[in-house]
Amino acid sequence: MAAVSLESQHDAPRIAGDGVPESAWRRSAWLAALPAQSASDWLAGVARLVIVSPHPDDEALGCGGLIATACAIGLPVRVVSVTDGEACYPDSPVWPAQRLRIVRRRELECALAILGVEIDGIDTLDIGDGRVSERESALVRALAPVLHTGDRVLTTWRGDGHPDHEATARAVERAAAERGARVVQFPVWAWHWLSPDVPVSPLPGAQRLVLTPAACRAKAAALGCFVSQLHDDRPGMPAPILPPHVLERFDRDFEVVLP
């Protein structure tokens, strides 16, 4: 996950303020009514799971439990980090882009190790945080040698409300079509702005993948690795990208995916 800059607010006007609290999602009738399946059953028959994440932490937020489940059952997993999330604090002297690039790669490696992904299962593309939409074709070309026919490829939702997330989804769809891989998407920012009270699900075809307690614990521990994104009350530190009320949305015993 990365902040949406003021310059890109016209692209993602729904991402503002504190967003929808998790307490409202716990009362959501349409979310509770989504078809449910265990994460392990959903992975049955999959040859390899590939996760294409716009920023370091999106993979853990959106499908960290699924990654942990796949690794636990011995399924090959590859994670592609499209950007290094280096622009998440553009006005902070504490977090210049070059420092963030190094720190966030280390955080990603720490988180994925907890989930079960070895360092040689990680690709970092450095497409440019906040620039994915202008470099979509380059991303498609970069993904082509990574994806294989028959892969199940997870990425952020095409309607997630963040320009990098949506551009990544479009590029993944193009690359996967060329390589004969199946794409499945997961919401991240959408939990910030979707309505929990509408009568019909705004996520057509979505389903809940139920996680084991062990997968939930691994996901929580992995998210704890992204220290640069968490609350820091030292003087001069910027507002965190993942404050407690945001992390609450991902402290569930299920994850949501959609075609």
Side-chain angles (χ1 to χ4, degrees), residues 205-236:
Q207 64 181 120
R208 290 182 297 136
L209 302 183
V210 181
L211 305 173
T212 64
C216 291
R217 288 192 296 270
K219 178 175 181 174
L223 287 171
C225 290
F226 294 101
V227 177
S228 70
Q229 308 299 287
L230 304 176
H231 178 74
D232 189 332
D233 58 7
R234 290 177 295 171

Side-chain angles (χ1 to χ4, degrees), residues 123-134:
D123 294 293
T124 52
L125 302 183
D126 193 17
I127 288 291
D129 189 7
R131 299 180 56 203
V132 182
S133 59
E134 64 187 76

Side-chain angles (χ1 to χ4, degrees), residues 31-39 41-42 206-210 254-255:
L31 180 57
L34 292 180
Q37 183 179 18
S38 74
D41 285 351
W42 187 81
Q207 64 181 120
R208 290 182 297 136
L209 302 183
V210 181
F254 64 90
E255 292 168 338

Side-chain angles (χ1 to χ4, degrees), residues 3 9 20 23 26 42 82-83 96 137 144 158-159 212 224 244:
Q9 282 292 332
V20 179
S23 57
R26 291 178 187 144
W42 187 81
V82 175
T83 81
S137 294
R158 66 180 71 85
T212 64

Side-chain angles (χ1 to χ4, degrees), residues 89-129:
Y89 298 123
D91 301 317
S92 173
V94 179
W95 287 116
Q98 189 53 41
R99 182 189 179 201
L100 270 168
R101 182 176 283 108
I102 295 168
V103 167
R104 295 198 71 179
R105 285 195 182 195
R106 289 174 180 165
E107 291 173 347
L108 178 66
E109 292 169 5
C110 169
L112 291 178
I114 288 173
L115 296 176
V117 181
E118 302 291 340
I119 193 168
D120 60 1
I122 307 171
D123 294 293
T124 52
L125 302 183
D126 193 17
I127 288 291
D129 189 7

Side-chain angles (χ1 to χ4, degrees), residues 103-191:
V103 167
R104 295 198 71 179
R105 285 195 182 195
R106 289 174 180 165
E107 291 173 347
L108 178 66
E109 292 169 5
C110 169
L112 291 178
I114 288 173
L115 296 176
V117 181
E118 302 291 340
I119 193 168
D120 60 1
I122 307 171
D123 294 293
T124 52
L125 302 183
D126 193 17
I127 288 291
D129 189 7
R131 299 180 56 203
V132 182
S133 59
E134 64 187 76
R135 302 194 65 196
E136 276 185 48
S137 294
L139 178 53
V140 174
R141 291 192 297 272
L143 290 172
V146 177
L147 303 184
H148 300 162
T149 299
D151 284 344
R152 186 168 294 181
V153 187
L154 276 79
T155 193
T156 42
W157 180 38
R158 66 180 71 85
D160 208 35
H162 189 295
D164 280 354
H165 290 209
E166 296 183 358
T168 296
R170 293 191 298 266
V172 170
E173 288 172 344
R174 289 169 57 191
E178 293 176 5
R179 303 294 290 175
R182 176 189 170 191
V183 178
V184 179
Q185 302 182 353
F186 54 85
V188 176
W189 273 111
W191 303 120

